[in-house]
Amino acid sequence: MSRQRVLSGVQPTGILHIGNYLGALRNWRGMVDDYDTFFCVVDMHAITVPEAVDPARLREAIRSVAAIYIAAGIDPDKATIFVQSDVPAHAELAWILTCMAPMGWLKRMTQFKVKGGDNEGVGTGLLTYPVLQAADILLYDADLVPVGADQKQHIELTRDLAERFNHRFGDVFHLPKPMIPKQGARIMGLDDPEAKMSKSTAVERPGHAIGLLDTPKQVKKKINRAKTDSGTCTIYEDASPGIRNLLGMFAAFTGEDPAEIGKRYDGRGYGYLKADLIAAAEAELAPLRARYEELRGDESVLDAILERGAERANAQANVVLARAKQAMGLGR
Ligand code: TYM
């Protein structure tokens, strides 16, 4: 039997943080042996707010995210690592699916609403962005999409669009399932544990997130300054949101149960919990940083990986695109 397919991606915007790592990247790493994996730097998703696009910065961010994938331990000999805009089929299928997508479905997307969707001046790409994401996934006949909890709604939309297309034009698309980790699927801001840790907020507020390329000193300082409360309770169910967030991170880093971790530190003062969390974070981030520096030291290695990735991705994506066009009657 052929291996199941996996596709996922990260937008090259803002600062990549431990939420992206624990919610997504770290889980991708473990899949490359058992699945046929495609990991994409979704650069076309990064232009939905054109006012925020700086060409030089975008070019650098694309390479940086690709290097972070590899530095996070994703073996480029086993996984296909590629840049979305190197595969024109993504934009083409996105258009086809856009024509199948009811406006109501897109307007209901949480991310559209959060990002100011009710403003008439907002770019149309902000509305149709989940359709491009559906194309990303469907082009690879993906069985599984490993993501953080915030992407669940987009995977559901992908399934709905695929079913709608299949119902009308025959069995063209394979229906994917989200794969959301038990721990680390929704890491909250260090400075505001009521809000999801976010790449763009990380740029605006240095205390918000632990960046994957932060120095050990920065990691330490940020965790030590993370918002908690004036008590000493670390019992998971009773703890304040800030402490629950730290326990959740700790659990995701070490694979332990957050409630068990909480029991160890209860009543002792948060400094102990924080010190051990800093060590757990460092144990994973130190090798990542080192591999990243090494990779960025010789850009030709990354170029070769992305070139090979683009070839493999194009070969796969064009098959599915042709299937969709054929089913609809497009082309000669
Ligand atoms: P993006 O770039 O915002 O995030 C990349 C991945 O990181 C996860 N994530 C988090 N996980 C836990 N805690 C957090 N605070 C946190 N913040 C982000 C996200 O769930 C995601 O898995 N639309 C997508 C990118 C995309 C995509 C795709 C993903 C485009 N096409 C196809 C999968 C398949 C996005 O903006 O993710």
Side-chain angles (χ1 to χ4, degrees), residues 7-11 17 19-20 23-24 42 45 129 133 136-137 145-151 154 184-187 196-197 199:
L7 177 125
S8 200
V10 174
Q11 280 192 57
H17 51 67
N20 303 123
V42 289
H45 279 91
Y129 152 119
Q133 180 163 356
D136 298 340
I137 297 167
V145 186
V147 283
D150 61 342
Q151 296 301 315
H154 290 163
R186 190 173 167 81
I187 302 292
K196 188 187 69 170
M197 189 178 279
K199 289 198 231 95

Side-chain angles (χ1 to χ4, degrees), residues 12-326:
T13 44
I15 295 173
L16 262 69
H17 51 67
I18 54 163
N20 303 123
Y21 180 72
L22 296 172
L25 294 177
R26 202 179 59 155
N27 308 308
W28 303 359
R29 172 172 83 204
M31 302 183 89
V32 299
D33 283 316
D34 299 331
Y35 298 88
D36 185 14
T37 49
F38 289 82
F39 299 122
C40 180
V41 179
V42 289
D43 58 344
M44 292 196 298
H45 279 91
I47 60 169
T48 51
V49 183
E51 311 82 70
V53 175
D54 172 316
R57 220 184 306 146
L58 179 58
R59 258 190 294 275
E60 163 54 25
I62 292 166
R63 299 187 72 84
S64 175
V65 171
I68 286 177
Y69 285 3
I70 300 160
I74 296 155
D75 183 344
D77 289 330
K78 294 180 176 167
T80 300
I81 296 175
F82 68 102
V83 177
Q84 185 186 37
S85 66
D86 278 346
V87 184
H90 288 243
E92 211 174 330
L93 183 61
W95 171 250
I96 291 173
L97 294 174
T98 298
C99 297
M100 306 288 303
M103 288 270 262
W105 291 8
L106 302 182
K107 284 186 175 164
R108 274 199 294 276
M109 292 294 113
T110 308
Q111 301 236 338
F112 177 64
K113 289 195 250 177
V114 171
K115 289 183 179 167
D118 49 6
N119 173 358
E120 286 285 318
V122 95
T124 309
L126 208 58
L127 178 70
T128 57
Y129 152 119
V131 183
L132 177 59
Q133 180 163 356
D136 298 340
I137 297 167
L138 297 176
L139 279 172
Y140 297 87
D141 284 336
D143 298 287
L144 290 173
V145 186
V147 283
D150 61 342
Q151 296 301 315
K152 189 163 175 263
Q153 195 184 34
H154 290 163
I155 318 295
E156 280 159 7
L157 180 86
T158 302
R159 289 176 64 91
D160 290 343
L161 284 171
E163 280 186 313
R164 198 175 163 92
F165 187 101
N166 287 353
H167 182 71
R168 177 81 178 77
F169 298 110
D171 200 13
V172 169
F173 295 123
H174 185 77
L175 265 51
K177 288 200 184 82
M179 187 181 190
I180 296 169
K182 241 175 102 189
Q183 296 300 336
R186 190 173 167 81
I187 302 292
M188 311 304 274
L190 292 175
D191 59 348
D192 174 11
E194 309 284 347
K196 188 187 69 170
M197 189 178 279
S198 121
K199 289 198 231 95
S200 50
T201 312
V203 178
E204 293 152 22
R205 303 203 308 252
H208 175 73
I210 297 173
L212 292 178
L213 303 173
D214 278 356
T215 62
K217 211 169 139 194
Q218 285 171 314
V219 173
K220 186 170 174 194
K221 187 167 153 192
K222 287 178 182 182
I223 293 181
N224 278 332
R225 291 197 180 167
K227 189 170 173 195
T228 55
D229 58 88
S230 56
T232 59
C233 172
T234 61
I235 297 301
Y236 192 76
E237 298 77 51
D238 306 330
S240 61
I243 290 297
R244 273 209 301 277
N245 191 34
L246 298 184
L247 290 172
M249 274 177 222
F250 202 144
F253 274 123
T254 62
E256 286 175 279
D257 179 57
E260 288 303 317
I261 300 172
K263 281 185 206 156
R264 283 208 300 275
Y265 295 94
D266 192 42
R268 290 173 59 196
Y270 300 141
Y272 293 97
L273 168 67
K274 286 182 167 179
D276 288 350
L277 174 58
I278 290 164
E282 263 309 300
E284 298 236 8
L285 296 181
L288 186 152
R289 256 182 234 124
R291 279 195 293 258
Y292 181 85
E293 287 311 321
E294 197 187 324
L295 264 163
R296 297 307 306 269
D298 178 2
E299 295 289 332
S300 66
V301 176
L302 194 57
D303 278 331
I305 291 168
L306 295 177
E307 190 61 41
R308 196 175 61 202
E311 261 173 50
R312 285 196 215 147
N314 270 298
Q316 165 57 31
N318 287 336
V319 171
V320 179
L321 178 65
R323 218 159 69 200
K325 288 171 74 173
Q326 157 89 26

